[in-house]
Amino acid sequence: MRYAFVTGMGRSGTKFLGSLLALDINAFSTHEYIGNREYWLVSWYVGKVYSNVILNNAKKKIDAQITKDIFIDVNGYLSDSVESLKDVFENPAIFHLVRNPKKVVPSLMIRRDDRGIHKIPKNQKDIEAWTAMSKLEQVCVNWVQTTEDLLQSDAQLLLFENIIKDYDYLSKHVLTPLGLTISKKQYDEFKSKKVNKTRGWLYRYLYAKYKGKRQISKTITFEDLNDQQRELFYAICGPTMDKLGYK
């Protein structure tokens, strides 16, 4: 069996792409098969001494239970595990899925519970700066750190905006390298469905109550940010956006 992994910052289209690639009947493509939030955080702080163990256990389960030609996990929890994936899986294809942070950052802000544990820097100077930041700034820092680390890896870059508007881009950069067969018709039909959309207020209220989390009353878009917030956003995210061609 062949192995492929697509990772990146959460809310970058991972669930959409995992579901899209599952249209190939010979592929087992899924979203966040390996790991969870705990794995995401511990792999960042502890590194390969932890992630290699967890990934080895996951590989045993995958090999025992999945019989498709290729296993694909589209999974933001693996964003700090590129080297571990290469250690554990035989010649895996690894991709970095990125999306304009104008879409990602506001979406993360409405999902980020201030009472939870979050991915903070590792050195004292950066931690001191982090504690003085607003939620917006912290989410921007997370986006930049994750994106820059993956840009420095050998993961192949994928732009979500191109995937959802250009079948030829998907074919050239994903389908052909992985040997997947998904027709233009299948792509167009699937694209018309919205995957992992932000739910309505009542759903989010009931879900927050069920999970014991704080409910955020409304969705946030980049257009909702005030001038000062946009200035902070561009100050943090701007240089990385430039590298990716985002305005």
Side-chain angles (χ1 to χ4, degrees):
M1 180 164 56
R2 295 176 292 122
Y3 308 95
F5 301 93
V6 183
T7 191
M9 193 70 180
R11 305 306 299 172
S12 294
T14 52
K15 188 170 185 178
F16 174 92
L17 184 57
S19 300
L20 173 62
L21 300 183
L23 295 175
D24 185 317
I25 62 172
N26 295 311
F28 181 93
S29 177
T30 188
H31 178 245
E32 296 178 355
Y33 184 92
I34 298 173
N36 49 30
R37 184 174 179 81
E38 177 183 288
Y39 174 88
W40 176 64
L41 291 169
V42 179
S43 63
W44 161 244
Y45 293 110
V46 178
K48 292 171 67 171
V49 68
Y50 169 79
S51 54
N52 279 24
V53 172
I54 303 301
L55 293 177
N56 266 305
N57 291 337
K59 184 177 183 298
K60 292 175 184 177
K61 178 182 176 182
I62 292 165
D63 291 345
Q65 297 181 358
I66 296 171
T67 58
K68 298 281 188 174
D69 293 342
I70 183 170
F71 168 85
I72 306 169
D73 191 9
V74 188
N75 189 340
Y77 293 137
L78 301 174
S79 59
D80 296 299
S81 300
V82 170
E83 293 305 314
S84 289
L85 290 170
K86 292 190 289 186
D87 286 347
V88 172
F89 294 88
E90 297 87 0
N91 300 314
I94 304 176
F95 301 87
H96 170 202
L97 181 65
V98 68
R99 187 181 189 184
N100 193 324
K102 287 183 177 180
K103 296 289 186 181
V104 176
V105 169
S107 185
L108 287 171
M109 286 179 66
I110 68 170
R111 287 165 174 79
R112 186 178 180 279
D113 184 351
D114 292 332
R115 296 175 298 178
I117 299 172
H118 303 288
K119 192 174 181 179
I120 65 174
K122 296 179 181 179
N123 65 68
Q124 181 176 343
K125 181 179 179 181
D126 290 340
I127 292 172
E128 289 172 352
W130 171 272
T131 59
M133 290 180 180
S134 65
K135 178 189 289 189
L136 170 65
E137 292 171 289
Q138 291 176 349
V139 173
C140 286
V141 167
N142 282 162
W143 182 83
V144 169
Q145 178 266 311
T146 297
T147 304
E148 288 287 350
D149 284 353
L150 285 167
L151 287 175
Q152 292 173 27
S153 76
D154 57 3
Q156 181 176 329
L157 180 66
L158 300 174
L159 299 179
F160 178 72
E161 291 80 7
N162 290 350
I163 286 174
I164 61 172
K165 71 180 182 182
D166 187 351
Y167 174 80
D168 290 338
Y169 178 92
L170 174 73
S171 180
K172 177 181 179 180
H173 293 281
V174 183
L175 302 184
T176 298
L178 296 183
L180 302 179
T181 302
I182 298 172
S183 69
K184 177 70 161 54
K185 180 180 179 181
Q186 288 176 297
Y187 167 81
D188 288 337
E189 290 176 348
F190 182 85
K191 194 172 62 169
S192 66
K193 305 172 184 177
K194 190 167 185 180
V195 178
N196 204 23
K197 66 181 179 179
T198 299
R199 305 277 188 162
W201 180 88
L202 179 59
Y203 176 92
R204 299 198 316 276
Y205 170 78
L206 293 174
Y207 183 81
K209 294 288 285 186
Y210 173 72
K211 289 290 188 177
K213 296 181 177 181
R214 182 174 64 88
Q215 163 65 11
I216 297 174
S217 62
K218 68 187 251 343
T219 58
I220 303 171
T221 67
F222 185 77
E223 288 68 31
D224 293 322
L225 302 182
N226 60 40
D227 290 343
Q228 182 181 14
Q229 289 173 319
R230 293 189 190 193
E231 184 176 343
L232 289 170
F233 171 89
Y234 283 119
I236 298 170
C237 297
T240 303
M241 292 174 68
D242 289 342
K243 293 180 183 179
L244 296 165
Y246 291 128
K247 303 294 185 182

